[in-house]
Amino acid sequence: MSPLTPYRRLFAHPGTRAFTLGNLVARLPMGMFSVSAVIMIASSRGSYALAGAVTATGLAATAVVAPWTARLVDRHGQARVAVPATAFALLGGIGLVVCVRLGAPDWTLFTAYAATATTPNTGGMSRARWAHLLKGDAAALHTANSFEQAVDELCFMLGPVLAAFLCGTVSPEAGMLVGSALLMTGVLLFTAQRSTQPPPQPRATSASPALAPGMPPLLLSFLATGAVFGAMEVVTIAFADERGHRSAAGAVLALQAAGSCVAGLLYGAVAGNAPSSDSSLPVRRYVLCVGAMAVLLTLPLLAVRLTGSLPVLAGALLVAGMATAPTMVTGMTLVQRRTPEGRLNEGMTLAVTGLLGGIAGGSAVGGWVVEHVSPAAGYAVPVAAATVALAIAALGARAGAARRQEHRLELHPANTP
């Protein structure tokens, strides 16, 4: 069977190609906004510290607001909530451009960029559609999640490149304006596909997904995984800058995303052909994938320690990135399984929020190590974060196995020793 066969079957479902195209357009700007904001603010105000503080504020605001936006999406439907939420977020982005252009006080930049926090989780909405359309087909849903993760990697690989090109060749504001236009257009195209939209769940009575069985350790492992991403970005930029090739940092990081993208597509095709009725299989896969990520992340550390070569580091990141997508695919599969009925967008957005919090923390720790020790030493931070994620995942798996055993004993007390 061809590796593409599971994907052909996936897009044979009516309406899937249309909503995927719209979501691709909407998701590309997700990799553009932070880079665009940093370049625009630094070019105007001459301060990377201010630019970083503004983007960090937007990230913190998103971590607070995004779960609430997702809850509204679950209750009232994607089209009804995503369009006005996107429009409000774009007012914040355009407001930031105006404030920078007019030389407004610094505090206005923080206020404007914080308003972009209402941007809906377009990736989560797409995954929710797949979960709705493929309910009961675990193999097809696995392939869909793999495809979505590959799309995430592709967008975060191409988005910064496009933003840097626009800001550098057109104007410092071009990246933010083009990204805003793409986001609004994509969301309108995506939400126009009503036939594939999950039905609203206006009366969800279940507890928060964050409190669902098995979710707390899973969200903590996402937090640690986010620290891997945040630290890797800062440390790689610093290492390239130390070697006199700061402009090459984006291309080096893009190789990591490329490795993850390819691995995600292959993982979806291979594992998607092997469905299993074993409910513990995704848990075991997740622990194995996090373990593989922790092991492969030692390669960049060894590359800089033993060779100090940027090309060798690039190759190591390409290989290390191959564990990222499988880890995220299996993690999102568990999030979907553990999220209560009717709150899927909220559950997946909580996972993304965990990643964002980890990225912020990883960036801060990685930056501290780079400044106080060395860029090479900074590559120990992603390894440490991945090791923590592995420990959390393993402990969560053990606790889950214990819960399942207790449940079996309750159902079959005669089997109790």
Side-chain angles (χ1 to χ4, degrees):
M1 181 183 294
S2 168
L4 295 178
T5 299
Y7 294 101
R8 292 195 186 101
R9 291 175 179 170
L10 202 64
F11 289 101
H13 292 268
T16 54
R17 296 183 182 184
F19 86 70
T20 298
L21 176 61
N23 197 266
L24 281 171
V25 176
R27 221 185 303 189
L28 180 60
M30 296 298 102
M32 296 177 62
F33 287 134
S34 292
V35 173
S36 298
V38 168
I39 294 175
M40 180 175 64
I41 295 171
S43 299
S44 173
R45 305 295 170 94
S47 173
Y48 278 98
L50 175 62
V54 170
T55 55
T57 299
L59 189 66
T62 299
V64 173
V65 174
W68 293 92
T69 304
R71 184 177 299 179
L72 291 174
V73 168
D74 283 327
R75 289 181 179 178
H76 303 289
Q78 293 182 354
R80 191 172 178 183
V81 174
V83 174
T86 302
F88 186 86
L90 294 192
L91 289 177
I94 295 171
L96 178 66
V97 172
V98 172
C99 290
V100 170
R101 192 74 174 176
L102 298 180
D106 290 349
W107 65 265
T108 62
L109 309 185
F110 290 91
T111 303
Y113 202 61
T116 64
T118 61
T119 303
N121 179 11
T122 51
M125 291 193 297
S126 185
R127 288 179 173 90
R129 292 199 180 208
W130 288 118
H132 169 63
L133 293 172
L134 304 174
K135 195 170 185 179
D137 190 343
L141 185 56
H142 172 84
T143 302
N145 284 335
S146 299
F147 172 79
E148 291 296 327
Q149 187 60 40
V151 169
D152 279 343
E153 301 296 343
L154 183 64
C155 290
F156 279 99
M157 182 170 57
L158 298 179
V161 176
L162 178 59
F165 172 78
L166 291 171
C167 292
T169 61
V170 181
S171 73
E173 298 85 8
M176 184 66 68
L177 294 175
V178 172
S180 298
L182 287 173
L183 176 61
M184 191 76 249
T185 301
V187 168
L188 289 173
L189 290 173
F190 175 75
T191 55
Q193 312 306 315
R194 302 295 182 97
S195 63
T196 53
Q197 177 178 265
Q201 302 288 336
R203 296 182 180 179
T205 57
S206 55
S208 168
L211 302 177
M215 281 290 278
L218 187 57
L219 294 177
L220 286 175
S221 68
F222 270 72
L223 184 70
T225 303
V228 171
F229 305 151
M232 187 65 77
E233 181 175 350
V234 170
V235 172
T236 299
I237 292 172
F239 183 79
D241 191 23
E242 183 185 57
R243 293 297 183 274
H245 300 287
R246 186 176 186 179
S247 59
V252 173
L253 288 169
L255 282 175
Q256 182 185 14
S260 181
C261 181
V262 172
L265 291 174
L266 292 175
Y267 184 66
V270 174
N273 287 330
S276 173
S277 58
D278 184 359
S279 61
S280 66
L281 179 60
V283 178
R284 295 200 303 271
R285 279 181 174 173
Y286 184 60
V287 175
L288 287 173
C289 288
V290 176
M293 180 176 67
V295 171
L296 290 180
L297 281 171
T298 61
L299 296 178
L301 177 61
L302 291 173
V304 298
R305 287 286 192 178
L306 298 178
T307 70
S309 167
L310 195 59
V312 173
L313 171 64
L317 286 174
L318 176 67
V319 177
M322 292 181 179
T324 302
T327 299
M328 297 308 303
V329 169
T330 51
M332 281 298 183
T333 298
L334 289 174
V335 169
Q336 291 170 348
R337 292 192 175 198
R338 294 174 180 177
T339 298
E341 185 74 22
R343 305 188 75 163
L344 188 55
N345 281 291
E346 184 180 354
M348 288 188 291
T349 300
L350 283 171
V352 173
T353 298
L355 286 173
L356 292 176
I359 289 171
S363 298
V365 175
W368 187 91
V369 173
V370 163
E371 186 173 339
H372 292 84
V373 186
S374 71
Y379 282 99
V381 178
V383 176
T387 303
V388 171
L390 175 60
I392 295 171
L395 290 173
R398 182 179 297 179
R403 284 196 305 270
R404 288 192 296 272
Q405 180 64 21
E406 290 176 2
H407 182 64
R408 281 194 293 268
L409 293 177
E410 289 174 0
L411 293 177
H412 306 286
N415 295 333
T416 305

